[in-house]
Amino acid sequence: QVQLVESGGGLVQAGGSLRLSCAASGFPFALKEMGWYRQAPGKQRDLVASITWRGIPNYADSVKGRFAISRNNARNTVWLQMNSLEPEDTAIYYCRKIPSLDWGQGTQVTVSS
């Protein structure tokens, strides 16, 4: 059974930073590409960052230069470091394996101006 548990979200002022964590289980984590997605109010859930099993990252243009994705395959954990946060980054953030139909609960990030 795939389980993805996100944590680290919270309320932060514009310009601040947060580090999100995702604890994964129920699948061979080290063999899977992982991604961080977000869903803002009234919008679709979009991929913001991904990382291959070898650790090669990719980022959406909206977060490039501000966010950094990383993983530790021995710990079955993927992180999203978010810097220079903007109100437009407010969303529920989810991690998942790629490809997958499974979603976890997500973690809420709220950025105030």
Side-chain angles (χ1 to χ4, degrees), residues 2 4 27 32-35 37 95-100 102:
V2 172
L4 301 160
F27 64 95
K32 299 293 185 180
E33 184 174 6
M34 297 292 296
Y37 298 73
C95 69
R96 76 190 302 228
K97 60 184 178 72
I98 299 170
S100 179
D102 303 304

Side-chain angles (χ1 to χ4, degrees), residues 61-82:
D61 288 341
S62 59
V63 306
K64 202 170 296 181
R66 299 188 297 119
F67 291 9
I69 189 171
S70 59
R71 67 189 296 163
N72 187 318
N73 289 342
R75 296 174 60 183
N76 283 21
T77 303
V78 60
W79 296 273
L80 185 68
Q81 178 67 46
M82 304 185 294

Side-chain angles (χ1 to χ4, degrees), residues 1 11 14 17-18 20 22 27 30 32-33 39 43 47 53 59 71 79 82 93 110:
Q1 181 181 355
L11 175 64
S17 297
L18 287 172
L20 307 184
C22 173
F27 64 95
K32 299 293 185 180
E33 184 174 6
Q39 186 168 25
K43 296 190 175 182
L47 179 68
W53 64 272
Y59 301 97
R71 67 189 296 163
W79 296 273
M82 304 185 294
Y93 285 73
T110 304

